[in-house]
Amino acid sequence: MLLGAAVRQGRAGGGAARRWRSGAARRREWVPPAGRACGVVAYNSRSRSKEPLVLAKDGVATWYSCGPTVYDHAHLGHACSYVRFDIIRRILTHFFETEVIMVMGITDVDDKIIKRASEMNISPVALARMYEEDFKQDMASLKVLPPTVYMRVTENIPQIISFIKTIIANGQAYATSQGNVYFDVKSWGERYGVLTAVSPDTEGEAVGTDKRHGRDFALWKAAKPQELSWSSPWGKGRPGWHIECSTISSAVFGKQLDIHSGGIDLAFPHHENEIAQCEVYHQCEQWGNYFLHSAVEFSDETMNDAKNILQAISSFIRDANAYIKGQLVCDPVREDVLWERLASTKVNVKAAFADDFDTSRAVAAIMDLVHHGNRQLKAVTKDVGSPRSSVVYGSITSYIESFFNALGMSFEERQDLCWKYLMYLLVLGRAGMERENSSFLQTELSVAVGAGNTALLSNVMDELVSFRTKVRNYALVLPEATETVQMEEGAVGAKGPKQEQKEKRRQLMQERKPLLEACDSLRGDLAAFGIHIKVEDSCPPCEMGRGLSGSIRSCPFTAPITVPSPHTTAVAGGS
């Protein structure tokens, strides 16, 4: 019904639609939504400040999460982003009694998928299903809760086509003679750029393309020969990247969306274009009330802090349990002090979470409770028969364990996984404070927008790393090492065929040594720009070189982790 009404209004070309577009072009500021505040103040990329998180329906948050393009294994960027938002989701659920309805879109048709499928000589659908399942398993290993529902692009093609038709009818898109459909950014005027303040006039006429202007982006892409495609009013083709998320989110939530999340590299152009598409389609003044973006950096200091905190908490729980069981004899305990500390800790933890999900401050409150609990667990050599305060220590340990369980961490997990998870909790709070006190968003977005395009830079890096891998693999492919040469009787000192083969192998190793050194040099040069090629010397040559996305299956948290930009690279194989 909504789609039909929008189409009819656009075709009619009535004065109301024209007046709405005219008014919308003048409004770019964020408008606080109507609804009920859930008790959290969150940094909103759309307003560039911390805002009370107001939900349209009391106790329910509608949340759209950009999912992966399933053409390769999940990488560290995925881990950082999805773990971060999983923690925020858990905080809303467990500490603010908010039911989160989350939809995640899976991009299962894309240029990269088609290219990779062709290289592997399998169908794009089979490749996408394989890596989609791979992604889900990786997220499960990271203890990231699944969304309420996954939605694939290929299962929503009719809805996407209808969405595009409405945008055309409303005057903000055009079809070309080549079968492409583009969003007309210039016609959207000053309304474009709510996240990044990018002007639609910053790029001139498009050259070498059928677009009208450089900023225009594809809603529908005409099919190339032998390419996966669907029939449409504009000919056979497939959806553009940005239209997928707009359509899927709108199909579930309509024009009302509380939260939209993704990595900072998606703010422009992806989220910017999503906003434009949805506000044209729904003819609303604001689509997506809160945009949450992740850009987290880890350091050796954070890693050490996490290890020390884990050790202190584990030691306290161990001692407290021993005290409860009567295995640790202590002086009389001031129960009133501990009960008061426990109550104040609960208040401080919730206050920390209410302030932009400040997990590091919440962990500090837990550590303060541990400190005061430890102060009274002073072992004595002689039991004077004082009553044990088992209940208060049982309550303290139960609260600490439930705190971490609520955030997805269990002390029953392997210790290395626990402290690596703690790193996320420490970094999230620090990232929030740094973001508030600096031009965090503008700096990150300037990287994302730059002089060009994030996706372009990503593709360039992919090709460069792939080329390095091919060169290195060539240098490593040598004749098989021969067994110990068995000298024939009466031919001592003679050079047999096997000996000649060994000498030839040594000669090839010397000749190809400069290639390996060049690969090493390139890896070092890229590291200087914050692009790290992960070394996995244990991998045989046939497994090396997975491109820009290195698998995280064997090690969900690689330490130290550095995520200085959207282009941190984790690649198997190094020289």
Side-chain angles (χ1 to χ4, degrees):
M1 182 179 295
L2 176 63
L3 176 60
V7 172
R8 288 192 296 274
Q9 184 178 15
R11 287 176 178 169
R18 286 194 297 272
R19 286 193 299 272
W20 172 80
R21 285 198 292 268
S22 175
R26 293 193 298 269
R27 300 195 69 242
R28 293 180 59 181
E29 68 275 9
W30 179 76
V31 178
R36 181 72 65 86
C38 70
V40 173
V41 175
Y43 186 89
N44 184 6
S45 297
R46 182 149 191 175
S47 67
R48 297 180 178 84
S49 63
K50 290 202 289 190
E51 308 287 354
L53 183 56
V54 176
L55 306 176
K57 183 175 177 57
D58 187 22
V60 178
T62 55
W63 186 332
Y64 182 79
S65 171
C66 288
T69 300
V70 283
Y71 74 101
D72 204 343
H73 299 285
H75 53 66
L76 292 177
H78 290 131
C80 292
S81 182
Y82 293 120
V83 169
R84 175 200 167 113
F85 293 125
D86 181 67
I87 292 171
I88 291 176
R89 178 184 178 186
R90 290 171 181 269
I91 290 172
L92 286 173
T93 301
H94 293 284
F95 294 90
F96 294 92
E97 295 77 45
T98 299
E99 181 184 3
V100 175
I101 309 300
M102 177 181 283
V103 173
M104 180 179 289
I106 300 289
T107 300
D108 59 343
V109 58
D110 176 83
D111 291 337
K112 294 177 182 178
I113 294 173
I114 294 171
K115 179 182 177 182
R116 180 63 57 83
S118 176
E119 294 170 350
M120 297 175 65
N121 197 28
I122 62 175
S123 74
V125 174
L127 179 98
R129 295 296 178 271
M130 177 178 69
Y131 283 120
E132 178 185 333
E133 185 59 29
D134 192 74
F135 168 79
K136 291 176 180 177
Q137 291 178 10
D138 284 339
M139 293 302 104
S141 72
L142 296 174
K143 302 188 73 175
V144 172
L145 296 172
T148 309
V149 62
Y150 288 103
M151 295 187 70
R152 299 177 181 136
V153 170
T154 56
E155 295 174 351
N156 288 272
I157 299 299
Q159 294 89 333
I160 291 172
I161 291 172
S162 294
F163 204 98
I164 295 171
K165 289 168 66 177
T166 300
I167 294 176
I168 293 174
N170 284 341
Q172 259 69 50
Y174 58 91
T176 71
S177 59
Q178 297 181 23
N180 296 307
V181 179
Y182 296 100
F183 188 95
D184 189 348
V185 172
K186 202 165 187 178
S187 73
W188 193 225
E190 290 302 310
R191 192 63 193 271
Y192 188 79
V194 295
L195 283 179
T196 56
V198 173
S199 170
D201 297 321
T202 53
E203 289 189 18
E205 297 296 321
V207 178
T209 177
D210 56 343
K211 295 194 293 186
R212 293 177 183 170
H213 306 99
R215 283 278 182 217
D216 294 353
F217 55 89
L219 304 181
W220 187 261
K221 303 172 75 171
K224 298 176 183 176
Q226 310 301 318
E227 195 174 75
L228 185 65
S229 62
W230 289 264
S231 297
S232 79
W234 317 287
K236 295 186 73 65
R238 55 188 172 85
W241 176 29
H242 316 297
I243 197 68
E244 304 165 355
C245 291
S246 293
T247 302
I248 290 173
S249 176
S250 297
V252 179
F253 299 124
K255 66 179 180 179
Q256 167 57 48
L257 178 65
D258 293 319
I259 300 170
H260 195 311
S261 64
I264 191 65
D265 57 313
L266 296 180
F268 183 87
H270 187 51
H271 292 164
E272 192 70 71
N273 293 345
E274 276 188 73
I275 291 171
Q277 291 167 157
C278 286
E279 290 181 352
V280 169
Y281 176 84
H282 295 294
Q283 296 205 359
C284 62
E285 294 186 349
Q286 181 169 289
W287 177 84
N289 292 326
Y290 300 87
F291 276 77
L292 308 182
H293 290 110
S294 64
V296 180
E297 294 188 8
F298 296 89
S299 66
D300 291 341
E301 179 184 0
T302 307
M303 182 172 63
N304 291 331
D305 288 347
K307 286 182 177 179
N308 293 333
I309 289 172
L310 177 62
Q311 183 178 3
I313 295 175
S314 299
S315 177
F316 169 72
I317 292 176
R318 190 164 51 248
D319 290 346
N321 286 336
Y323 173 77
I324 293 170
K325 295 175 183 178
Q327 298 168 351
L328 179 64
V329 179
C330 300
D331 283 332
V333 169
R334 287 284 307 277
E335 288 193 27
D336 58 332
V337 173
L338 291 180
W339 284 119
E340 182 182 347
R341 282 290 173 182
L342 178 58
S344 64
T345 298
K346 293 178 180 180
V347 171
N348 292 336
V349 163
K350 188 162 185 177
F353 286 152
D355 185 10
D356 200 19
F357 311 104
D358 194 341
T359 49
S360 64
R361 206 171 102 206
V363 171
I366 294 293
M367 291 307 297
D368 184 65
L369 177 63
V370 168
H371 169 70
H372 285 278
N374 269 328
R375 287 179 62 182
Q376 299 203 46
L377 281 181
K378 295 180 180 179
V380 295
T381 57
K382 185 178 181 180
D383 188 356
V384 296
S386 300
R388 293 199 310 277
S389 302
S390 301
V391 175
V392 67
Y393 272 100
S395 297
I396 290 173
T397 57
S398 176
Y399 174 72
I400 292 173
E401 289 176 338
S402 66
F403 169 87
F404 287 105
N405 284 335
L407 299 181
M409 180 188 132
S410 171
F411 285 95
E412 296 177 359
E413 298 280 354
R414 295 197 337 252
Q415 293 294 290
D416 61 325
L417 294 183
C418 287
W419 67 255
K420 288 167 186 174
Y421 193 89
L422 265 170
M423 287 201 304
Y424 282 91
L425 299 183
L426 295 177
V427 167
L428 292 188
R430 291 174 185 171
M433 289 184 287
E434 291 167 2
R435 180 179 55 199
E436 180 187 5
N437 298 326
S438 68
S439 56
F440 169 85
L441 182 65
Q442 287 75 8
T443 301
E444 293 295 336
L445 291 180
S446 67
V447 174
V449 179
N453 187 299
T454 299
L456 176 62
L457 181 56
S458 176
N459 290 334
V460 171
M461 285 308 309
D462 224 342
E463 293 300 323
L464 176 61
V465 173
S466 175
F467 175 73
R468 174 192 176 276
T469 301
K470 291 176 182 177
V471 171
R472 184 175 183 276
N473 287 352
Y474 167 77
L476 290 173
V477 176
L478 298 171
E480 292 295 327
T482 59
E483 299 177 358
T484 304
V485 178
Q486 302 293 329
M487 305 302 294
E488 297 180 5
E489 288 187 29
V492 177
K495 290 186 178 181
K498 293 184 178 179
Q499 183 68 20
E500 291 178 357
Q501 187 180 15
K502 287 182 69 176
E503 290 186 0
K504 181 179 180 182
R505 191 170 186 274
R506 280 196 294 267
Q507 182 180 352
L508 283 174
M509 289 176 66
Q510 287 298 319
E511 291 175 354
R512 298 182 184 183
K513 183 179 178 181
L515 294 177
L516 293 174
E517 291 174 345
C519 290
D520 226 8
S521 177
L522 175 60
R523 191 180 69 204
D525 291 342
L526 292 177
F529 292 97
I531 302 165
H532 300 279
I533 300 179
K534 179 181 172 185
V535 179
E536 293 184 2
D537 291 327
S538 60
C539 295
C542 64
E543 294 180 11
M544 295 177 182
R546 294 176 182 167
L548 192 61
S549 302
S551 175
I552 61 174
R553 179 176 307 287
S554 61
C555 181
F557 300 89
T558 300
I561 304 172
T562 307
V563 191
S565 75
H567 307 295
T568 295
T569 308
V571 179
S575 59

